Amino acid sequence: EVIREGELEKRSDSLFQLWKKKLVVLTKDSLSLFPDGHKRAKGKELGFGSILKVDCVERTGKYIYFTIVTKDRKEIDFRCPDQSCWNASITMALIDFQNKR
């Protein structure tokens, strides 16, 4: 059951920390990231069971920046256009997941 689908930018773990566009699919249990905007490619799934919180939300003129913190303390940085409110959608789905546990 897809709650939301669209584009989000993720900061790479590489030395240059470039922002890369990902196709993102949010469900009631997870956030899946697909490279190059194609669901055909192998996606990376972040299950809500492994996510601690959505943190560090900052708004600039054009973007909202936020960090997903996993239970093993890994931080994954994202940004989205100011009006898209992806951070709120992910936070609400995470809270729903945690409340059902």
Side-chain angles (χ1 to χ4, degrees):
E1 178 191 325
V2 174
I3 296 170
R4 185 167 179 185
E5 185 174 320
E7 203 171 78
L8 205 53
E9 290 183 55
K10 177 186 172 289
R11 187 165 26 204
S12 69
D13 296 330
S14 71
L15 179 65
F16 298 113
Q17 296 191 326
L18 303 171
W19 290 100
K20 296 191 176 182
K21 290 186 180 188
K22 304 284 184 183
L23 174 65
V24 180
V25 179
L26 177 64
T27 67
K28 60 183 177 57
D29 299 313
S30 67
L31 185 68
S32 297
L33 309 167
F34 298 92
D36 306 324
H38 299 291
K39 280 202 249 181
R40 295 187 302 270
K42 176 106 174 82
K44 181 178 181 180
E45 185 178 46
L46 284 170
F48 285 147
S50 69
I51 295 176
L52 190 61
K53 61 183 174 177
V54 176
D55 199 12
C56 196
V57 178
E58 181 182 334
R59 177 171 282 138
T60 64
K62 189 176 176 187
Y63 292 105
I64 295 173
Y65 294 83
F66 61 98
T67 302
I68 290 178
V69 182
T70 62
K71 289 192 174 163
D72 58 3
R73 299 287 181 213
K74 184 177 179 206
E75 294 185 353
I76 307 162
D77 295 325
F78 293 95
R79 74 179 181 188
C80 58
D82 186 21
Q83 301 302 314
S84 72
C85 299
W86 265 102
N87 56 309
S89 298
I90 295 167
T91 300
M92 293 307 296
L94 179 61
I95 289 168
D96 283 348
F97 177 84
Q98 290 169 341
N99 285 342
K100 287 179 180 149
R101 285 195 138 182

XYZ file of all heavy atoms in Angstrom:
826
model
N 0.848 -1.185 0.000
C 0.000 0.000 0.000
C 0.893 1.247 0.000
O 1.528 1.575 0.991
C -0.886 -0.009 1.251
C -1.766 1.191 1.369
C -2.431 1.261 2.750
O -2.752 0.200 3.300
O -2.584 2.372 3.243
N 0.936 1.930 -1.127
C 1.786 3.104 -1.294
C 1.086 4.332 -0.720
O -0.038 4.647 -1.090
C 2.142 3.323 -2.783
C 2.910 4.618 -2.967
C 2.944 2.145 -3.313
N 1.764 4.996 0.211
C 1.252 6.247 0.782
C 1.608 7.412 -0.133
O 0.810 8.301 -0.387
C 1.841 6.494 2.193
C 1.376 5.396 3.144
C 1.460 7.878 2.709
C 2.094 5.426 4.490
N 2.841 7.365 -0.630
C 3.330 8.469 -1.462
C 4.490 7.975 -2.322
O 5.267 7.127 -1.899
C 3.808 9.587 -0.544
C 4.214 10.819 -1.286
C 4.384 11.977 -0.359
N 4.790 13.119 -1.153
C 5.111 14.285 -0.665
N 5.070 14.481 0.631
N 5.471 15.270 -1.446
N 4.602 8.548 -3.510
C 5.687 8.203 -4.420
C 6.146 9.472 -5.110
O 5.324 10.321 -5.454
C 5.164 7.189 -5.447
C 6.209 6.667 -6.381
C 5.656 5.566 -7.282
O 4.876 4.712 -6.819
O 6.018 5.577 -8.466
N 7.452 9.614 -5.273
C 7.964 10.802 -5.938
C 9.469 10.899 -5.853
O 10.143 9.923 -5.539
N 9.970 12.090 -6.114
C 11.419 12.295 -6.167
C 11.928 12.999 -4.916
O 11.296 13.905 -4.387
C 11.747 13.130 -7.398
C 13.151 12.954 -7.866
C 13.363 13.631 -9.205
O 13.499 14.874 -9.221
O 13.394 12.926 -10.226
N 13.079 12.532 -4.472
C 13.755 13.091 -3.309
C 15.242 13.083 -3.638
O 15.686 12.246 -4.421
C 13.477 12.160 -2.124
C 13.518 12.657 -0.698
C 12.644 13.878 -0.496
C 13.052 11.557 0.237
N 16.000 13.991 -3.071
C 17.447 13.967 -3.285
C 18.130 13.463 -2.023
O 17.785 13.863 -0.914
C 17.962 15.360 -3.640
C 17.512 15.798 -5.017
C 18.076 17.147 -5.409
O 19.314 17.317 -5.383
O 17.266 18.039 -5.727
N 19.093 12.548 -2.212
C 19.841 11.958 -1.105
C 21.301 12.357 -1.259
O 21.838 12.334 -2.360
C 19.710 10.433 -1.152
C 20.511 9.707 -0.092
C 20.417 8.199 -0.318
C 21.341 7.443 0.567
N 22.757 7.575 0.241
N 21.922 12.734 -0.136
C 23.342 13.082 -0.190
C 24.150 11.794 -0.187
O 23.944 10.924 0.650
C 23.747 13.968 0.981
C 25.175 14.442 0.777
C 25.649 15.574 1.604
N 25.006 15.775 2.869
C 24.983 16.953 3.481
N 25.537 18.005 2.936
N 24.420 17.079 4.653
N 25.080 11.695 -1.115
C 25.893 10.483 -1.222
C 26.889 10.399 -0.073
O 27.226 11.399 0.564
C 26.632 10.460 -2.567
O 27.617 11.478 -2.585
N 27.349 9.181 0.185
C 28.334 8.947 1.235
C 29.754 9.206 0.758
O 30.694 9.100 1.522
C 28.247 7.488 1.726
C 26.903 7.200 2.372
O 26.312 8.130 2.950
O 26.453 6.047 2.295
N 29.899 9.525 -0.526
C 31.235 9.710 -1.094
C 31.915 10.962 -0.553
O 31.296 11.784 0.119
C 31.148 9.800 -2.616
O 30.559 11.027 -2.988
N 33.159 11.119 -0.874
C 33.977 12.240 -0.427
C 33.355 13.592 -0.800
O 33.360 14.529 -0.018
C 35.376 12.116 -1.043
C 36.368 13.212 -0.703
C 36.696 13.190 0.790
C 37.632 13.054 -1.516
N 32.781 13.675 -2.000
C 32.247 14.951 -2.485
C 30.834 15.230 -1.993
O 30.330 16.330 -2.142
C 32.288 14.991 -4.017
C 33.680 14.892 -4.548
C 34.075 13.780 -5.263
C 34.609 15.897 -4.312
C 35.372 13.676 -5.752
C 35.904 15.806 -4.794
C 36.293 14.688 -5.515
N 30.165 14.235 -1.440
C 28.811 14.367 -0.896
C 27.855 15.063 -1.871
O 27.209 16.045 -1.553
C 28.835 15.104 0.445
C 29.580 14.337 1.506
C 29.398 14.917 2.889
O 29.272 16.127 3.055
N 29.384 14.060 3.885
N 27.749 14.502 -3.057
C 26.871 15.045 -4.082
C 25.423 14.676 -3.790
O 25.144 13.641 -3.188
C 27.263 14.480 -5.449
C 28.706 14.726 -5.878
C 29.028 13.935 -7.131
C 28.947 16.206 -6.105
N 24.505 15.528 -4.213
C 23.074 15.229 -4.077
C 22.640 14.446 -5.300
O 22.870 14.859 -6.434
C 22.269 16.520 -3.970
C 22.495 17.219 -2.675
C 23.321 18.280 -2.456
C 21.909 16.897 -1.411
N 23.275 18.641 -1.132
C 22.424 17.812 -0.461
C 21.004 15.925 -0.983
C 22.054 17.776 0.877
C 20.636 15.898 0.355
C 21.161 16.816 1.270
N 21.999 13.286 -5.080
C 21.543 12.440 -6.182
C 20.038 12.242 -6.078
O 19.521 11.951 -5.002
C 22.239 11.088 -6.147
C 23.731 11.221 -6.374
C 24.367 9.886 -6.600
C 25.834 10.105 -6.922
N 26.521 8.885 -7.200
N 19.360 12.377 -7.223
C 17.910 12.191 -7.242
C 17.567 10.717 -7.136
O 18.200 9.879 -7.770
C 17.324 12.771 -8.524
C 17.392 14.271 -8.527
C 16.692 14.871 -9.705
C 16.845 16.376 -9.585
N 16.095 17.133 -10.506
N 16.555 10.430 -6.337
C 16.075 9.060 -6.149
C 14.560 9.054 -6.319
O 13.885 9.994 -5.914
C 16.385 8.546 -4.735
C 17.847 8.599 -4.344
C 18.629 7.515 -4.994
C 20.075 7.525 -4.508
N 20.883 6.535 -5.177
N 14.057 7.974 -6.891
C 12.620 7.745 -6.872
C 12.342 7.123 -5.508
O 12.997 6.170 -5.107
C 12.202 6.786 -7.988
C 10.732 6.370 -7.952
C 9.829 7.573 -8.209
C 10.445 5.278 -8.946
N 11.401 7.673 -4.780
C 11.124 7.225 -3.413
C 9.687 6.728 -3.334
O 8.769 7.381 -3.845
C 11.338 8.394 -2.420
C 11.065 7.944 -1.003
C 12.746 8.937 -2.535
N 9.521 5.572 -2.691
C 8.192 5.017 -2.465
C 8.021 4.834 -0.962
O 8.778 4.117 -0.314
C 8.006 3.670 -3.203
C 6.623 3.097 -2.920
C 8.215 3.841 -4.707
N 7.036 5.540 -0.418
C 6.733 5.484 1.012
C 5.520 4.585 1.222
O 4.480 4.785 0.596
C 6.444 6.899 1.519
C 6.029 7.064 2.975
C 7.144 6.645 3.921
C 5.612 8.501 3.242
N 5.675 3.569 2.085
C 4.554 2.703 2.444
C 4.371 2.788 3.961
O 5.144 3.472 4.638
C 4.799 1.230 2.051
O 5.863 0.707 2.846
C 5.132 1.097 0.566
N 3.412 2.068 4.503
C 3.177 2.107 5.948
C 4.293 1.418 6.729
O 4.400 1.610 7.934
C 1.823 1.501 6.295
C 1.642 0.065 5.902
C 0.238 -0.408 6.237
C -0.039 -1.817 5.815
N 0.844 -2.833 6.345
N 5.159 0.645 6.041
C 6.230 -0.099 6.710
C 7.644 0.346 6.362
O 8.586 -0.024 7.050
C 6.131 -1.595 6.362
C 4.827 -2.202 6.818
O 4.448 -1.959 7.977
O 4.184 -2.902 6.022
N 7.805 1.103 5.268
C 9.168 1.387 4.817
C 9.237 2.561 3.849
O 8.227 3.056 3.350
C 9.753 0.150 4.127
O 9.064 -0.102 2.921
N 10.485 2.938 3.594
C 10.830 3.946 2.600
C 11.784 3.253 1.635
O 12.836 2.762 2.058
C 11.522 5.124 3.293
C 11.854 6.344 2.454
C 10.565 7.053 2.030
C 12.727 7.308 3.227
N 11.412 3.153 0.368
C 12.265 2.504 -0.629
C 12.846 3.548 -1.560
O 12.134 4.444 -2.019
C 11.471 1.472 -1.434
O 11.010 0.453 -0.592
N 14.144 3.414 -1.835
C 14.864 4.360 -2.692
C 15.347 3.630 -3.936
O 15.983 2.585 -3.833
C 16.082 4.922 -1.952
C 15.819 5.497 -0.569
C 17.126 5.712 0.172
C 15.070 6.801 -0.690
N 15.048 4.196 -5.100
C 15.459 3.599 -6.354
C 16.361 4.573 -7.102
O 16.016 5.748 -7.232
C 14.240 3.270 -7.220
C 13.317 2.265 -6.582
C 12.255 2.690 -5.797
C 13.521 0.906 -6.751
C 11.408 1.770 -5.202
C 12.685 -0.016 -6.152
C 11.622 0.417 -5.380
N 17.493 4.095 -7.601
C 18.401 4.987 -8.336
C 17.818 5.344 -9.699
O 17.019 4.593 -10.264
C 19.672 4.159 -8.481
C 19.211 2.741 -8.414
C 18.002 2.735 -7.517
N 18.197 6.479 -10.210
C 17.869 6.896 -11.577
C 16.380 6.965 -11.875
O 15.982 6.886 -13.031
C 18.537 5.959 -12.599
C 20.040 5.850 -12.363
O 20.642 6.869 -11.970
O 20.597 4.761 -12.540
N 15.540 7.047 -10.851
C 14.115 7.219 -11.076
C 13.386 6.021 -11.662
O 12.302 6.160 -12.199
N 13.979 4.815 -11.562
C 13.341 3.627 -12.137
C 13.091 2.579 -11.066
O 14.009 2.207 -10.334
C 14.223 3.006 -13.225
C 14.480 3.912 -14.377
N 13.501 4.275 -15.264
C 15.611 4.547 -14.766
C 14.021 5.088 -16.169
N 15.294 5.278 -15.885
N 11.870 2.093 -11.006
C 11.563 1.027 -10.054
C 12.106 -0.314 -10.546
O 12.157 -1.268 -9.803
C 10.055 0.915 -9.831
C 9.551 1.948 -8.861
C 8.245 1.511 -8.271
C 7.143 2.391 -8.775
N 5.845 2.059 -8.227
N 12.531 -0.368 -11.809
C 13.091 -1.616 -12.346
C 14.412 -1.946 -11.663
O 14.746 -3.098 -11.460
C 13.321 -1.500 -13.852
C 12.058 -1.343 -14.659
C 12.376 -1.412 -16.145
N 13.333 -0.388 -16.554
C 13.018 0.824 -16.981
N 11.749 1.185 -17.050
N 13.934 1.677 -17.356
N 15.171 -0.912 -11.360
C 16.480 -1.118 -10.730
C 16.291 -1.628 -9.302
O 15.230 -1.476 -8.705
C 17.255 0.198 -10.712
N 17.333 -2.227 -8.771
C 17.276 -2.739 -7.399
C 17.198 -1.558 -6.436
O 18.040 -0.681 -6.428
C 18.532 -3.576 -7.125
C 18.636 -4.089 -5.720
C 18.351 -5.573 -5.667
C 18.601 -6.135 -4.286
N 17.517 -5.952 -3.363
N 16.175 -1.530 -5.649
C 15.997 -0.440 -4.692
C 16.612 -0.775 -3.345
O 16.933 -1.916 -3.050
N 16.761 0.255 -2.536
C 17.239 0.089 -1.167
C 16.056 0.384 -0.254
O 15.445 1.441 -0.360
C 18.384 1.073 -0.917
C 18.980 0.969 0.462
C 20.137 1.943 0.606
C 20.747 1.830 1.974
N 21.866 2.759 2.147
N 15.736 -0.568 0.604
C 14.586 -0.386 1.481
C 15.041 -0.050 2.893
O 15.897 -0.729 3.451
C 13.733 -1.650 1.505
C 12.470 -1.475 2.315
C 11.587 -2.702 2.297
O 12.110 -3.807 2.474
O 10.379 -2.532 2.113
N 14.474 1.011 3.424
C 14.690 1.373 4.824
C 13.412 1.017 5.568
O 12.412 1.738 5.470
C 14.932 2.880 4.951
C 16.284 3.422 4.551
C 16.233 4.945 4.506
C 17.338 2.978 5.522
N 13.429 -0.098 6.271
C 12.252 -0.493 7.032
C 12.104 0.396 8.251
O 13.094 0.783 8.879
N 10.855 0.747 8.594
C 10.635 1.608 9.759
C 11.100 0.966 11.059
O 11.377 1.660 12.021
C 9.171 2.031 9.854
C 8.790 3.080 8.849
C 7.511 3.106 8.319
C 9.687 4.044 8.423
C 7.134 4.071 7.398
C 9.336 5.010 7.508
C 8.049 5.024 6.987
N 11.210 -0.353 11.091
C 11.740 -1.027 12.273
C 13.191 -0.670 12.540
O 13.673 -0.778 13.663
N 13.911 -0.233 11.489
C 15.327 0.120 11.647
C 15.549 1.628 11.763
O 16.679 2.083 11.909
C 16.139 -0.423 10.463
O 15.795 0.276 9.278
N 14.469 2.419 11.691
C 14.606 3.878 11.758
C 14.252 4.374 13.156
O 13.215 4.023 13.704
C 13.700 4.561 10.703
C 14.170 4.198 9.302
C 13.701 6.075 10.897
C 13.280 4.737 8.195
N 15.142 5.179 13.702
C 14.935 5.757 15.020
C 14.067 7.013 14.938
O 13.092 7.163 15.659
C 16.290 6.082 15.646
C 16.337 6.471 17.105
C 15.805 5.332 17.968
C 17.765 6.810 17.505
N 14.445 7.931 14.014
C 13.708 9.193 13.925
C 14.060 9.963 12.660
O 15.054 9.674 12.003
C 14.017 10.070 15.140
C 15.489 10.458 15.267
C 15.748 11.260 16.524
C 17.242 11.492 16.703
N 17.535 12.321 17.854
N 13.214 10.950 12.372
C 13.507 11.955 11.343
C 13.956 13.177 12.120
O 13.274 13.633 13.033
C 12.264 12.272 10.487
C 12.571 13.378 9.489
C 11.782 11.021 9.761
N 15.132 13.692 11.789
C 15.779 14.687 12.629
C 16.236 15.873 11.799
O 16.274 15.827 10.583
C 16.993 14.013 13.290
C 17.474 14.760 14.522
O 16.762 15.650 15.015
O 18.570 14.437 14.997
N 16.585 16.939 12.510
C 17.365 18.013 11.931
C 16.703 18.630 10.697
O 17.310 18.722 9.658
C 18.735 17.420 11.569
S 20.000 18.601 11.263
N 15.443 18.991 10.820
C 14.726 19.583 9.679
C 15.102 21.060 9.580
O 15.008 21.795 10.552
C 13.202 19.414 9.834
C 12.471 20.070 8.678
C 12.835 17.946 9.945
N 15.549 21.447 8.397
C 15.963 22.833 8.180
C 15.406 23.308 6.847
O 15.496 22.599 5.847
C 17.493 22.887 8.155
C 18.052 24.268 7.962
C 19.569 24.260 7.896
O 20.198 23.354 8.456
O 20.116 25.173 7.269
N 14.842 24.480 6.845
C 14.268 25.024 5.620
C 15.150 26.168 5.124
O 15.502 27.061 5.874
C 12.858 25.533 5.893
C 12.209 26.184 4.702
C 10.752 26.483 4.946
N 9.982 25.247 4.799
C 8.998 24.884 5.595
N 8.652 25.624 6.618
N 8.339 23.773 5.374
N 15.514 26.089 3.860
C 16.189 27.222 3.215
C 15.192 27.773 2.209
O 14.068 27.293 2.127
C 17.488 26.782 2.498
O 17.141 25.899 1.435
C 18.457 26.117 3.457
N 15.583 28.740 1.420
C 14.646 29.313 0.463
C 14.035 28.299 -0.478
O 12.838 28.301 -0.724
N 14.837 27.383 -0.986
C 14.379 26.479 -2.041
C 14.104 25.057 -1.545
O 13.259 24.351 -2.100
C 15.457 26.447 -3.122
C 15.071 25.728 -4.381
C 16.188 25.852 -5.412
C 15.847 25.040 -6.658
N 16.949 24.992 -7.592
N 14.800 24.609 -0.511
C 14.727 23.215 -0.081
C 14.413 23.057 1.405
O 14.678 23.954 2.204
C 16.064 22.494 -0.317
C 16.423 22.293 -1.759
C 17.396 23.069 -2.370
C 15.795 21.307 -2.515
C 17.745 22.873 -3.695
C 16.135 21.108 -3.842
C 17.106 21.888 -4.431
O 17.443 21.695 -5.738
N 13.896 21.876 1.729
C 13.823 21.421 3.117
C 14.853 20.303 3.235
O 14.853 19.358 2.432
C 12.417 20.869 3.460
C 11.383 21.989 3.390
C 12.424 20.230 4.850
C 9.954 21.514 3.558
N 15.750 20.428 4.196
C 16.779 19.419 4.450
C 16.381 18.644 5.698
O 15.940 19.233 6.677
C 18.133 20.088 4.707
C 18.691 20.801 3.504
C 18.300 22.094 3.184
C 19.610 20.174 2.670
C 18.797 22.751 2.070
C 20.121 20.822 1.548
C 19.714 22.105 1.257
O 20.212 22.750 0.151
N 16.555 17.314 5.665
C 16.267 16.516 6.853
C 17.132 15.269 6.866
O 17.696 14.873 5.847
C 14.775 16.156 6.953
C 14.235 15.337 5.812
C 14.118 13.957 5.923
C 13.819 15.947 4.645
C 13.590 13.205 4.884
C 13.296 15.200 3.598
C 13.189 13.827 3.722
N 17.266 14.686 8.040
C 18.122 13.525 8.252
C 17.300 12.392 8.839
O 16.544 12.608 9.777
C 19.270 13.886 9.228
O 20.005 14.983 8.674
C 20.193 12.714 9.459
N 17.449 11.205 8.263
C 16.854 10.008 8.857
C 17.952 9.325 9.657
O 19.040 9.074 9.138
C 16.286 9.062 7.775
C 15.047 9.698 7.150
C 15.960 7.690 8.370
C 14.409 8.893 6.045
N 17.664 9.084 10.942
C 18.632 8.438 11.835
C 18.168 6.999 12.051
O 17.042 6.766 12.475
C 18.730 9.173 13.187
C 19.767 8.514 14.089
C 19.072 10.645 12.977
N 19.060 6.039 11.757
C 18.717 4.632 11.944
C 19.055 4.200 13.371
O 19.762 4.909 14.089
C 19.477 3.737 10.947
O 20.877 3.862 11.190
C 19.163 4.127 9.503
N 18.557 3.041 13.767
C 18.792 2.561 15.127
C 20.262 2.278 15.403
O 20.685 2.314 16.551
C 17.934 1.329 15.413
C 16.476 1.710 15.535
C 15.612 0.623 16.088
C 14.211 1.174 16.296
N 13.216 0.131 16.452
N 21.052 2.036 14.347
C 22.499 1.867 14.546
C 23.246 3.195 14.385
O 24.449 3.239 14.171
C 23.075 0.771 13.644
C 22.835 1.047 12.165
O 22.271 2.097 11.816
O 23.237 0.194 11.350
N 22.487 4.301 14.513
C 23.024 5.675 14.536
C 23.598 6.152 13.198
O 24.352 7.117 13.154
C 24.079 5.853 15.629
C 23.542 5.611 17.023
C 22.662 6.749 17.451
N 22.171 6.527 18.813
C 20.993 6.912 19.237
N 20.191 7.528 18.425
N 20.613 6.692 20.466
N 23.249 5.496 12.104
C 23.670 5.980 10.795
C 22.748 7.144 10.420
O 21.542 7.093 10.671
C 23.557 4.859 9.762
C 24.072 5.256 8.414
C 24.027 4.101 7.429
C 24.544 4.601 6.091
N 24.034 3.875 4.965
N 23.313 8.183 9.838
C 22.524 9.346 9.424
C 22.489 9.420 7.902
O 23.529 9.352 7.249
C 23.121 10.632 9.999
C 23.020 10.684 11.511
C 23.496 11.999 12.095
O 24.029 12.846 11.334
O 23.327 12.193 13.308
N 21.287 9.551 7.354
C 21.105 9.638 5.911
C 20.444 10.983 5.622
O 19.350 11.259 6.111
C 20.226 8.477 5.395
C 20.798 7.139 5.874
C 20.140 8.514 3.871
C 19.824 5.994 5.802
N 21.137 11.813 4.848
C 20.667 13.173 4.579
C 19.855 13.241 3.295
O 20.230 12.668 2.274
C 21.865 14.127 4.462
C 22.630 14.259 5.761
O 21.985 14.224 6.822
O 23.863 14.401 5.719
N 18.737 13.976 3.367
C 17.851 14.168 2.227
C 17.516 15.648 2.080
O 17.614 16.403 3.037
C 16.527 13.410 2.438
C 16.667 11.924 2.435
C 16.818 11.229 3.616
C 16.640 11.215 1.239
C 16.938 9.850 3.616
C 16.755 9.839 1.233
C 16.903 9.147 2.418
N 17.072 16.005 0.889
C 16.489 17.323 0.677
C 15.358 17.178 -0.344
O 15.377 16.282 -1.190
C 17.520 18.352 0.234
C 17.988 18.234 -1.190
C 18.993 19.324 -1.523
N 19.417 19.206 -2.911
C 20.379 19.910 -3.453
N 21.057 20.783 -2.725
N 20.697 19.758 -4.719
N 14.386 18.065 -0.203
C 13.248 18.060 -1.123
C 12.841 19.508 -1.372
O 13.149 20.384 -0.575
C 12.092 17.252 -0.548
S 11.483 17.823 1.053
N 12.137 19.748 -2.485
C 11.648 21.112 -2.726
C 10.776 21.575 -1.559
O 10.067 20.776 -0.944
C 10.831 20.976 -4.012
C 11.422 19.783 -4.696
C 11.821 18.852 -3.589
N 10.842 22.841 -1.263
C 10.187 23.437 -0.103
C 8.717 23.044 0.043
O 8.256 22.752 1.129
C 10.324 24.961 -0.197
C 9.805 25.665 1.041
O 9.711 25.034 2.103
O 9.490 26.864 0.939
N 7.957 23.020 -1.030
C 6.516 22.772 -0.949
C 6.138 21.289 -0.874
O 4.988 20.957 -0.625
C 5.811 23.403 -2.157
C 6.033 24.899 -2.272
C 5.580 25.654 -1.034
O 4.505 25.425 -0.516
N 6.424 26.550 -0.543
N 7.085 20.370 -1.096
C 6.719 18.953 -1.205
C 6.470 18.269 0.149
O 5.764 17.264 0.207
C 7.786 18.184 -1.986
O 8.961 18.050 -1.209
N 7.053 18.784 1.228
C 6.808 18.276 2.585
C 7.045 16.772 2.751
O 6.320 16.102 3.497
C 5.397 18.627 3.061
S 5.120 20.396 3.142
N 8.050 16.233 2.078
C 8.369 14.810 2.228
C 8.703 14.477 3.673
O 8.356 13.411 4.175
C 9.542 14.429 1.320
C 9.122 13.870 0.016
C 9.094 14.513 -1.190
C 8.663 12.545 -0.247
N 8.637 13.675 -2.171
C 8.375 12.460 -1.617
C 8.461 11.422 0.549
C 7.907 11.297 -2.222
C 7.995 10.263 -0.048
C 7.720 10.202 -1.409
N 9.408 15.376 4.345
C 9.801 15.116 5.733
C 8.580 14.868 6.613
O 8.580 13.974 7.464
C 10.655 16.265 6.285
C 9.959 17.610 6.180
O 9.473 17.983 5.107
N 9.900 18.339 7.264
N 7.508 15.620 6.397
C 6.284 15.441 7.187
C 5.620 14.106 6.861
O 5.156 13.395 7.763
C 5.321 16.589 6.925
N 5.576 13.737 5.585
C 4.967 12.460 5.183
C 5.711 11.284 5.810
O 5.094 10.342 6.321
C 4.987 12.310 3.658
O 4.237 13.317 3.040
N 7.047 11.338 5.767
C 7.856 10.250 6.330
C 7.684 10.203 7.845
O 7.501 9.130 8.434
C 9.343 10.419 5.937
C 9.500 10.282 4.416
C 10.213 9.397 6.676
C 10.850 10.735 3.893
N 7.701 11.360 8.496
C 7.542 11.417 9.953
C 6.198 10.837 10.381
O 6.130 10.040 11.322
C 7.675 12.875 10.455
O 8.973 13.369 10.089
C 7.521 12.953 11.967
N 5.127 11.214 9.703
C 3.798 10.717 10.062
C 3.695 9.203 9.872
O 3.133 8.498 10.720
C 2.708 11.427 9.250
C 2.572 12.900 9.581
S 2.342 13.257 11.332
C 0.771 12.488 11.641
N 4.247 8.686 8.773
C 4.212 7.236 8.532
C 5.031 6.500 9.590
O 4.629 5.428 10.066
C 4.740 6.926 7.128
N 6.174 7.076 9.987
C 7.014 6.470 11.025
C 6.289 6.450 12.369
O 6.300 5.438 13.075
C 8.343 7.227 11.137
C 9.332 6.752 12.196
C 9.758 5.310 11.948
C 10.553 7.661 12.243
N 5.626 7.551 12.718
C 4.873 7.614 13.984
C 3.734 6.591 13.977
O 3.524 5.874 14.962
C 4.337 9.042 14.220
C 5.495 9.980 14.565
C 3.292 9.055 15.339
C 5.138 11.457 14.545
N 3.011 6.485 12.858
C 1.941 5.486 12.752
C 2.491 4.077 12.961
O 1.913 3.265 13.675
C 1.254 5.546 11.379
C 0.282 6.712 11.266
O -0.038 7.334 12.304
O -0.160 7.000 10.137
N 3.633 3.799 12.331
C 4.269 2.478 12.451
C 4.637 2.198 13.914
O 4.358 1.129 14.438
C 5.517 2.425 11.561
C 6.281 1.125 11.682
C 5.910 0.013 10.936
C 7.377 1.030 12.532
C 6.619 -1.181 11.060
C 8.078 -0.149 12.661
C 7.701 -1.256 11.928
N 5.272 3.191 14.550
C 5.712 3.001 15.952
C 4.525 2.861 16.897
O 4.576 2.087 17.859
C 6.609 4.160 16.372
C 7.952 4.144 15.678
C 8.770 5.416 15.870
O 8.244 6.454 16.222
N 10.060 5.308 15.640
N 3.424 3.568 16.646
C 2.238 3.480 17.501
C 1.548 2.121 17.380
O 0.913 1.673 18.336
C 1.243 4.587 17.167
C 1.704 5.942 17.702
O 2.557 6.027 18.576
N 1.139 6.993 17.147
N 1.660 1.485 16.225
C 1.023 0.183 16.021
C 1.796 -0.946 16.691
O 1.288 -2.036 16.867
C 0.851 -0.102 14.546
C -0.265 0.747 13.954
C -0.442 0.511 12.489
C -1.572 1.403 11.979
N -1.427 1.833 10.632
N 3.036 -0.693 17.045
C 3.871 -1.727 17.677
C 3.468 -1.955 19.092
O 3.380 -1.309 19.975
C 5.329 -1.360 17.593
C 5.867 -1.581 16.200
C 7.348 -1.566 16.242
N 7.782 -2.657 15.380
C 9.040 -2.973 15.197
N 9.969 -2.325 15.817
N 9.367 -3.950 14.392
